[in-house]
Amino acid sequence: MKDVNIREEAGKLNAQLVEWRRHLHAHPELGFDTVETAAFVVERLGEMGVTEIRTGVAKNGVAAVIRGDLPGKVLGMRADMDALPVREETGLPFASTVDGRMHACGHDAHTAMLLGAARLLTAHRDKLKGAVKLIFQPSEETGSGAPAMIADGVLENPKVDAFIGLHTGNFWTGVDAGEIGYSNGPLMAAADMFTITVTGKGGHGATPHRTIDPIAIGCQIYTTLQTIVSREISPLAPAVLTIGTFQSGSAGNIVPPDCVMKGTLRALTAETRKELQDRIRGIVEGVASAMRGSASVEFHYGPPPTTNAPEMTAKLLRAAGAVVGPEHVREVDEPTMGGEDMAFFLEKAPGVFFFHPSTFGGGRDYPHHHPKFDLNEDVLWTGTGTMAQFALTWQDD
Ligand code: NI
């Protein structure tokens, strides 16, 4: 790789990355409906001379192959493209032009950075071993885009042997803009949703003894569920159980027939995830039955924990070090309990998901999904550079 200086080439590309990101930022699309975004991606790839492009993968996903001149394996490089149903309040000149939609998680930057990596790799096909498959994914925020693309065959023809992906922004600490963050353990959590339905027996509020009050049962279930994390899961195993909605009833003098709660659970290992699910079910059914009612829980499974393969993490450290300097490649302080559907890809082949810090500092950083969320565009090149350098070197040694 002596005659290719990706650090320098990526740096020179930053103005282009900013332009692409701003266009995408101004035109956010939700879920699987990333029509214009996909068209933008396909146009840019066409300009780079990429011809092997499959569109319409899981509705509006794009998969494009760049083949190297040297024999080797296939690396899947993934970026998510979807925005959020948030009304933007940044006041930026390139703010969302669509009311009620915003790129408030940085997926606009992910798409731009992967396009940048594609640009660098198309210029170095003679040094590229095997091929890269660029995966532009819709609907990350629902946790359903990655499995839908997998079901639609995105990992075949050519078959993907390994993965790389990144998340930009500010949700991991311990690293600053211009650096690259990694984790040797899990980086993000398994994230499942669930719905609990309690069935009682409705009646007049003045004759509670002739009813089975689902609100009373629901309150006991809510309270008892809090003891799973505090009393049952090991204090050394991170776990979250949140009930976000509790709905029942229509008037003050009526005992309603049922009550519905919705929540989410997070865990960093498959074992803790299973334990949470089993105990929620046990408590929901047991408490309801003890109080003469009945209840059931339905799980809506999200992504598993995002966990990197150690050998791929080692390759990332080498690639990122060549781009930002080894002293600027640092382990993040701790994982986040947020979920990430990249985890579905990492279940299929070994890979690495890394953190691209794009903070401003000085109080300018708003949380992801906030109407004022923004990211530091000066460092877009470090994400592009790390991805491209990884693609060119991961099969060395
Ligand atoms: Ni995100």
Side-chain angles (χ1 to χ4, degrees), residues 334-348:
E334 52 189 24
T336 149
M337 298 310 275
E340 163 61 59
D341 84 353
M342 176 77 185
F344 288 111
F345 290 124
L346 296 178
E347 276 188 327
K348 297 292 177 186

Side-chain angles (χ1 to χ4, degrees), residues 18 35 43 52 59 75 95 174 197 203 205 210 245 257 271 289 291 336 340 342 360 369:
V18 170
V35 183
E43 255 179 70
E52 214 175 311
K59 207 169 170 190
L75 175 69
T197 305
R210 293 186 190 142
T245 75
E271 295 70 38
S289 124
M291 296 177 74
T336 149
E340 163 61 59
M342 176 77 185
F360 295 99
H369 298 200

Side-chain angles (χ1 to χ4, degrees), residues 39-237:
F40 181 84
V41 163
V42 169
E43 255 179 70
R44 299 291 82 74
L45 292 174
E47 290 165 4
M48 297 170 201
V50 179
T51 53
E52 214 175 311
I53 302 177
R54 188 181 155 207
T55 58
V57 188
K59 207 169 170 190
N60 287 301
V62 177
V65 180
I66 300 172
R67 294 190 190 264
D69 294 346
L70 309 171
K73 296 180 177 179
V74 179
L75 175 69
M77 306 178 78
R78 177 273 206 172
D80 41 12
M81 303 189 287
D82 56 322
L84 286 156
V86 169
R87 181 162 292 117
E88 180 158 356
E89 293 173 13
T90 60
L92 290 165
F94 54 91
S96 173
T97 56
V98 189
D99 190 32
R101 285 190 216 160
M102 176 187 175
H103 268 293
C105 198
H107 300 186
D108 47 350
H110 298 170
T111 302
M113 287 190 277
L114 184 55
L115 281 173
R119 164 75 67 89
L120 298 181
L121 293 171
T122 51
H124 295 295
R125 288 181 196 261
D126 58 325
K127 299 285 192 308
L128 182 64
K129 290 180 186 165
V132 299
K133 184 179 278 184
L134 310 163
I135 299 173
F136 292 92
Q137 183 207 305
S139 215
E140 192 286 320
E141 296 292 353
T142 64
S144 54
M149 286 191 91
I150 293 168
D152 203 357
V154 75
L155 305 187
E156 306 305 322
N157 302 319
K159 184 171 162 42
V160 176
D161 299 301
F163 284 102
I164 190 166
L166 63 79
H167 209 302
T168 193
N170 58 45
F171 45 39
W172 285 282
T173 56
V175 273
D176 299 315
E179 301 185 316
I180 294 295
Y182 70 96
S183 169
N184 276 316
L187 192 59
M188 299 187 80
D192 302 314
M193 307 290 281
F194 59 86
T195 302
I196 297 168
T197 305
V198 180
T199 306
K201 184 178 155 198
H204 200 293
T207 57
H209 55 296
R210 293 186 190 142
T211 72
I212 298 170
D213 187 347
I215 296 180
I217 297 172
C219 290
Q220 291 300 331
I221 288 175
Y222 177 90
T223 304
T224 311
L225 287 178
Q226 302 308 317
T227 64
I228 298 178
V229 173
S230 67
R231 304 286 80 189
E232 298 190 30
I233 302 283
S234 163
L236 301 176

